[in-house]
Amino acid sequence: MLSILVLHGPNLNLLGQREPGIYGSVTLDTIDRQLEQAAEALHVRLSSLQSNHEGTLVDAIHAALGQHQGILINAGAYTHTSVALRDAIAAVAIPTVEVHLSNLYRREAFRHHSYIAPVAIGQISGFGADSYRLGLDALVHYLNHTEG
Ligand code: CA2
């Protein structure tokens, strides 16, 4: 059975608790539960990790080698700053889908650039909590149709 690593970056632990205007009122636990349901229907296994620390996320990407066949990541603000996360994804060469709750391109210019996007299969941005489900669907579809 395929196994997917779900990574949530900095501040996403606050989801549903602050700034509901931008990020909605859904909590990270609810997103993980929705993803679990979607994973069951897709017949894949999920492991989810949230960290506010760049190095912890880099370590998790390294540890995914041989354990997970795909990565679903919302790198939060590290999307726009982290060469380290990008290098880690490129190094392990595990198919990765980048997701965002908000539509990055309707926001400040500094959010328009992603260091992750060039090493990802694709990016889903702007559908709130649904971005994760759509991203998981796209990732599993990719893995089922393009890998042995
Ligand atoms: O839209 C997204 O998913 C983002 O990755 C969210 C990041 C932001 O830096 C990216 O540009 C876009 C921020 C996540 C912060 O989440 C919070 C949740 C509740 C309260 C405060 C922050």
Side-chain angles (χ1 to χ4, degrees):
M1 191 185 262
L2 289 174
S3 178
I4 307 295
L5 176 64
V6 180
L7 291 176
H8 305 287
N11 297 309
L12 288 161
N13 54 309
L14 298 178
L15 272 185
Q17 299 167 41
R18 321 196 70 82
E19 296 195 76
I22 303 179
Y23 298 116
S25 54
V26 179
T27 65
L28 198 59
D29 274 355
T30 302
I31 289 176
D32 277 340
R33 261 186 276 118
Q34 288 172 351
L35 276 178
E36 272 299 339
Q37 283 187 359
E40 250 175 64
L42 291 164
H43 306 292
V44 299
R45 230 192 323 266
L46 286 192
S47 284
S48 174
L49 171 79
Q50 187 276 330
S51 179
N52 295 320
H53 304 277
E54 190 175 10
T56 301
L57 294 165
V58 169
D59 286 345
I61 292 165
H62 293 175
L65 254 189
Q67 304 296 316
H68 304 287
Q69 290 70 51
I71 298 175
L72 185 71
I73 185 168
N74 182 351
Y78 291 147
T79 304
H80 320 298
T81 64
S82 182
V83 178
L85 279 179
R86 175 209 183 109
D87 285 352
I89 292 166
V92 297
I94 296 172
T96 296
V97 169
E98 173 184 358
V99 299
H100 297 283
L101 295 152
S102 59
N103 179 344
L104 299 180
Y105 308 97
R106 294 181 70 165
R107 303 188 63 192
E108 303 95 324
F110 67 84
R111 296 187 204 274
H112 297 180
H113 177 261
S114 166
Y115 279 104
I116 313 288
V119 296
I121 302 164
Q123 183 196 67
I124 294 178
S125 163
F127 296 95
D130 274 352
S131 290
Y132 287 88
R133 198 182 39 76
L134 294 165
L136 180 66
D137 212 46
L139 178 58
V140 172
H141 193 271
Y142 174 90
L143 292 171
N144 282 335
H145 291 89
T146 56
E147 308 243 315

